[in-house]
Amino acid sequence: MKKTFFTSLTAVLFIAGCSSGSGQGDMSEGAVSEQEIETVAENLEIPWAIDHQDDTFYITERTGSIVKVEGDQEERQAVELKEELATAAEAGLLGFVLAPDFQESQMAYAYYTYENGDGQFNRIVTLRLDDGVWTEEDLLLDEIPSGNVHHGGRLKMGPDDKLYATAGDAAEVDLAQEVDSLGGKILRLNLDGSVPYDNPFPDSYVYSYGHRNPQGLTWSPDGTMYASEHGNSSNDEINEIEAGQNYGWPIIEGDEERDDMVSPLFTSGDDSTWAPSGMAYYDGKIYVASLRGTAVLEFDPATNEQRTFVSGLGRIRDLIIDEDTLYFVSNNTDGRGNTGENDDKLYRVSLSTSD
């Protein structure tokens, strides 16, 4: 492993108190001690999603590859898709999650943006790995709205063994409030692509609606579901997700309230932005990758406190937690960041020494 040491710009860079209600705070810089962050892999090309099987990691690249990281070895694996990847901003090969029986089946689920003669859309498919090449097999859900931006794209396996996906509003804001549309939603599927019988709307993949561009999902051990969402230039959100609920976009945002809509647990407020992406839950806290915020953020729903946990590495796209270790990927090569030497990278840091 390659080790990178940071003093004054590492884990626990900012510490802030938060207001009551929606957990809005400005995360000003606080005192820090020296931390060690390891560089696990480098030279990634616009990485987007991470999953792992034991000590082997698989990272999607928006350009259409999957990087396998095993020990100090990196292998860029080809992905053969049935449709042509879109080249729109924020588009490409996005969400990725290994099947529960991956060790035997060599199967995974993927979310990607494509374009053909009918237009540009997002779809959810199965991929199978054979001799270092991933091949698209089954189409689970197609024609999820897509536009110039706001593709959503996160895939996660829920504790109920259902597949969850985040879908953006494709920059058509009215879609988020249209329950019959897949845009601006969190979606829930059976692993074979069918609609779960207990979804909140009959014969519909829609699990929750009123979302602008949700890009992160995670669950606490008791099954509470959380999602991260990009606001409209500010007012980014961390939400607690419940089946069938309306999260307000574009009618309300940030800490605004309305009786039939759900306001967030935390918001970046009117004057700042996080651009939150991938999420994970550990020991009562929610960890969130932050693009515009160039950090890994930590939120405590029980105390309403928040702080910046990691900073100084540029844009952060996704993260996962394995036991007490946090793994995360930078996203400086996406055209919106400042690219450093050998970017982008997969990093890791122990959570057991961060208190």
Side-chain angles (χ1 to χ4, degrees):
M1 297 293 179
K2 300 169 281 290
K3 294 185 178 179
T4 304
F5 294 90
F6 300 90
T7 53
S8 303
L9 281 177
T10 60
V12 200
L13 254 188
F14 299 83
I15 301 174
C18 303
S19 63
S20 60
S22 60
Q24 182 175 316
D26 61 6
M27 292 191 176
S28 56
E29 185 173 348
V32 354
S33 60
E34 182 175 326
Q35 282 277 356
E36 178 183 297
I37 299 177
E38 290 184 320
T39 301
V40 181
E42 54 190 18
N43 296 311
L44 304 173
E45 299 176 1
I46 320 180
W48 211 90
I50 321 167
D51 204 356
H52 74 109
Q53 173 75 39
D54 299 324
D55 294 328
T56 302
F57 294 83
Y58 296 91
I59 304 169
T60 58
E61 296 178 315
R62 269 179 45 200
T63 51
S65 301
I66 292 175
V67 177
K68 176 184 178 182
V69 180
E70 190 169 19
D72 60 358
Q73 301 296 311
E74 299 176 32
E75 176 190 358
R76 180 164 283 107
Q77 300 175 325
V79 181
E80 297 180 347
L81 302 171
K82 294 181 180 179
E83 298 284 355
E84 182 177 354
L85 279 178
T87 58
E90 305 174 8
L93 180 57
L94 304 177
F96 177 84
V97 62
L98 299 173
D101 63 348
F102 172 72
Q103 191 166 357
E104 295 78 29
S105 69
Q106 296 293 283
M107 192 176 79
Y109 303 88
Y111 183 116
Y112 72 93
T113 314
Y114 71 93
E115 51 189 346
N116 60 24
D118 296 325
Q120 181 176 293
F121 306 95
N122 298 294
R123 57 169 23 189
I124 300 171
V125 302
T126 63
L127 302 177
R128 193 174 300 275
L129 178 63
D130 183 27
D131 196 25
V133 177
W134 295 87
T135 303
E136 179 179 339
E137 288 200 339
D138 295 327
L139 174 62
L140 302 186
L141 182 57
D142 202 1
E143 297 190 354
I144 300 169
S146 177
N148 293 329
V149 290
H150 300 181
H151 313 289
R154 189 65 56 196
L155 286 183
K156 285 291 183 178
M157 199 69 63
D160 54 3
D161 296 324
K162 306 297 183 186
L163 187 64
Y164 290 78
T166 68
D169 67 6
E172 296 184 30
V173 297
D174 292 341
L175 294 183
Q177 289 294 317
E178 296 176 6
V179 178
D180 292 338
S181 170
L182 298 177
K185 309 296 190 296
I186 294 175
L187 310 173
R188 181 173 182 256
L189 298 73
N190 289 320
L191 299 189
D192 63 1
S194 60
V195 176
Y197 76 92
D198 56 349
N199 271 9
F201 303 101
D203 300 317
S204 172
Y205 292 104
V206 173
Y207 191 75
S208 62
Y209 66 107
H211 299 288
R212 182 175 181 270
N213 191 25
Q215 286 198 1
L217 294 172
T218 194
W219 288 262
S220 67
D222 67 4
T224 303
M225 181 179 177
Y226 301 96
S228 66
E229 182 167 338
H230 291 203
N232 185 20
S233 76
S234 60
N235 288 307
D236 299 317
E237 298 180 356
I238 306 300
N239 286 294
E240 181 178 330
I241 303 298
E242 296 183 0
Q245 294 300 304
N246 182 353
Y247 288 81
W249 176 253
I251 299 169
I252 63 170
E253 60 177 328
D255 58 7
E256 295 175 345
E257 297 182 351
R258 181 165 156 168
D259 288 344
D260 55 348
M261 298 177 182
V262 181
S263 297
L265 297 176
F266 297 91
T267 175
S268 64
D270 295 333
D271 301 319
S272 63
T273 180
W274 305 319
S277 191
M279 307 173 73
Y281 188 97
Y282 174 79
D283 194 26
K285 298 180 179 65
I286 304 166
Y287 293 84
V288 182
S290 171
L291 295 159
R292 290 284 297 277
T294 61
V296 174
L297 308 176
E298 180 191 88
F299 300 89
D300 188 332
T303 64
N304 209 34
E305 295 175 331
Q306 59 192 58
R307 65 175 180 172
T308 293
F309 182 68
V310 170
S311 190
L313 301 174
R315 295 162 62 83
I316 308 299
R317 171 61 72 179
D318 194 21
L319 53 81
I320 59 173
I321 295 173
D322 182 30
E323 296 183 347
D324 64 351
T325 301
L326 171 69
Y327 295 84
F328 59 97
V329 286
S330 63
N331 203 203
N332 297 317
T333 57
D334 68 350
R336 298 177 177 178
N338 297 317
T339 305
E341 184 178 3
N342 299 324
D343 267 343
D344 274 306
K345 301 177 185 180
L346 170 66
Y347 298 97
R348 74 177 183 185
V349 61
S350 173
L351 293 169
S352 62
T353 60
S354 64
D355 295 333

